[in-house]
Amino acid sequence: MSKNYKIAVIGGDGTGPEVIREGIKVLNAAAPKFGVKIEFTEFDFGAKRYLKTGETLPDSAIEDLKKFDAIYLGAIGSPDVKPGILERGILLKMRFALDQYINLRPVKLYQNVETPIKDKGPEDIDFVVIRENTEGLYAGGGGILREGTQYEVAIQESINTRFGVERCIKYAFEYTKKRNSKKKQLTLCGKTNVLTYAFGLWERVFNEIAKNYPDIKTDYAHVDAITMWMVKNPEWFDVIVTDNMFGDIITDLGAVVGGGLGVAAGGNINPEGVSMFEPIGGSAPKYTGKNVINPIAAILAGKMMMEHLGEVEMAKKIEESVQKTILKMKSMAAGKMGYSTTEIGDMIADSI
Ligand code: IPM
Ligand code: MN
């Protein structure tokens, strides 16, 4: 397998470029130790480019991005641009155009990271949410009629195809099978008691595919109930699979259970194409340029990227070094870490 990787870097908005810089620092420190070469190519998509040129992510850029092994993204979103333009124009466009149909979001509490969940520790909080990433309410189905009048009608439809649901659930079973956990359990999160069309399909497909995985325990939870269990009994979960909208919602809860947005990373994965890795916390504009934001989420996104590319040992080493550095930190919150953004990056890189 090739040990040379071409990575497209989109620092993006706000603190995005600051945290990605630390991520690259760590990847550059680790690469030579594992016989890996990484070539980074920067792209300037984000608010600044949009305000200057009116361009979000042009189709030509999608073609460019297809030539890379993976994409490393900081954050998209700026108070200077109307909400939705950059999110839809860049982030969602990338997920859809590159068919990154899996959004993989680990919820893992590291040692010395504080969780708001009372009496729960790292041994209790270690699960993964697999969110379908190209369909559901995000697919753009629906429309608006008589907009702005008293008679307006707004319809937002959830699109669920057998093809889309099947590939997501298959991925989730394979992921659960390979995941290094004792439980080997996959939970479907839905709303079969009300959204009977959409989650009826999810449930049927889930049960059909489960037959091929007799060693995996299966479970089901309604989305409202799961928000309660994730707080009360996070140790119940191993892998959760769900649709796009529910996955969006429960992974913010997951992030906070796992110690906050400072440590939460995710992967937007096309197993047959180009995947994108990002810290999921957003651009945190008020901290821009202050060197106080926590780069660990971005560094863990880099770790996930290497894991995805097959560099499992390198990923492990990065994670170990992150854990060592976390032991020295006061908090995961911006400005309260006891160290600056660049110092955290240095400490992790040095420990590698
Ligand atoms: C996320 C974000 C995005 C989403 C927004 C910014 C479009 O919340 O990655 O979870 O809704 O998917
Ligand atoms: Mn979200």
Side-chain angles (χ1 to χ4, degrees):
M1 192 194 271
S2 154
K3 293 281 225 172
N4 289 318
Y5 300 106
K6 291 203 303 238
I7 304 295
V9 176
I10 305 173
D13 302 322
T15 53
E18 288 170 56
V19 294
I20 286 298
R21 205 172 300 135
E22 301 313 309
I24 291 175
K25 188 190 278 177
V26 169
L27 290 171
N28 278 334
K33 301 259 178 336
F34 295 88
V36 165
K37 269 182 82 175
I38 311 180
E39 194 189 306
F40 296 99
T41 306
E42 302 228 7
F43 290 85
D44 67 350
F45 304 113
K48 275 203 202 100
R49 176 163 172 157
Y50 171 73
L51 290 170
K52 211 162 45 184
T53 67
E55 217 170 45
T56 48
L57 188 67
D59 293 338
S60 61
I62 296 289
E63 289 313 307
D64 286 343
L65 291 172
K66 282 184 184 162
K67 296 180 195 127
F68 289 84
D69 293 303
I71 303 163
Y72 195 27
L73 177 107
I76 295 294
S78 159
D80 302 333
V81 180
K82 205 175 111 200
I85 293 180
L86 301 174
E87 292 86 341
R88 281 210 156 269
I90 301 178
L91 190 63
L92 297 183
K93 178 159 181 185
M94 197 156 30
R95 289 177 183 169
F96 279 81
L98 297 175
D99 203 20
Q100 294 163 341
Y101 61 87
I102 298 295
N103 197 329
L104 191 67
R105 295 188 161 178
V107 177
K108 178 167 176 175
L109 185 69
Y110 288 93
Q111 278 165 48
N112 198 38
V113 175
E114 208 182 320
T115 172
I117 311 300
K118 196 169 148 248
D119 299 334
K120 299 288 176 190
E123 61 291 352
D124 304 304
I125 300 173
D126 186 1
F127 60 93
V128 177
V129 178
I130 293 175
R131 161 185 176 189
E132 200 291 323
N133 214 28
T134 54
E135 298 194 342
L137 281 166
Y138 281 67
I144 190 148
L145 185 64
R146 307 189 202 103
E147 191 176 349
T149 73
Q150 263 201 301
Y151 306 99
E152 63 189 325
V153 181
I155 298 174
Q156 199 95 50
E157 288 162 329
S158 177
I159 314 265
N160 297 264
T161 69
R162 178 168 270 273
F163 163 76
V165 172
E166 229 169 54
R167 65 181 181 174
C168 176
I169 290 178
K170 268 190 194 145
Y171 183 94
F173 272 101
E174 278 301 312
Y175 186 90
T176 310
K177 188 171 145 188
K178 291 191 198 113
R179 180 169 142 87
N180 189 15
S181 79
K182 274 182 251 134
K183 276 198 209 79
K184 293 268 173 276
Q185 171 190 287
L186 180 61
T187 304
L188 172 65
C189 165
K191 187 74 187 170
T192 52
N193 52 349
V194 178
L195 308 178
T196 48
Y197 307 139
F199 287 101
L201 172 61
W202 277 79
E203 195 174 41
R204 277 194 309 279
V205 172
F206 185 79
N207 291 337
E208 279 166 27
I209 296 177
K211 291 192 190 120
N212 305 328
Y213 296 87
D215 298 336
I216 294 178
K217 260 191 281 160
T218 55
D219 194 9
Y220 172 82
H222 292 317
V223 65
D224 48 351
I226 218 169
T227 59
M228 186 172 70
W229 303 128
M230 277 169 68
V231 171
K232 259 190 104 203
N233 296 93
E235 71 280 3
W236 285 357
F237 299 107
D238 184 10
V239 182
I240 298 170
V241 64
T242 191
D243 87 337
N244 209 341
M245 187 76 258
F246 291 169
D248 178 47
I249 296 166
I250 70 170
T251 53
D252 265 27
L253 176 62
V256 93
V257 167
L261 293 173
V263 292
N268 297 264
I269 294 173
N270 176 343
E272 298 88 35
V274 185
S275 301
M276 183 259 283
F277 297 84
E278 54 174 349
I280 72 178
S283 59
K286 70 175 177 188
Y287 298 118
T288 307
K290 299 209 162 89
N291 203 19
V292 296
I293 193 82
N294 190 345
I296 285 183
I299 293 167
L300 287 174
K303 171 240 161 201
M304 287 180 79
M305 180 166 73
M306 296 322 294
E307 205 164 40
H308 173 79
L309 292 171
E311 299 301 334
V312 178
E313 291 307 312
M314 179 173 166
K316 244 190 233 160
K317 184 76 197 174
I318 294 172
E319 190 175 28
E320 278 165 25
S321 307
V322 164
Q323 175 63 84
K324 268 193 211 154
T325 299
I326 288 179
L327 293 178
K328 298 181 191 150
M329 292 166 68
K330 286 207 190 91
S331 160
M332 293 302 114
K336 299 181 183 151
M337 303 186 291
Y339 299 95
S340 66
T341 308
T342 44
E343 279 169 337
I344 302 284
D346 288 342
M347 285 157 74
I348 295 171
D350 288 348
S351 131
I352 287 167

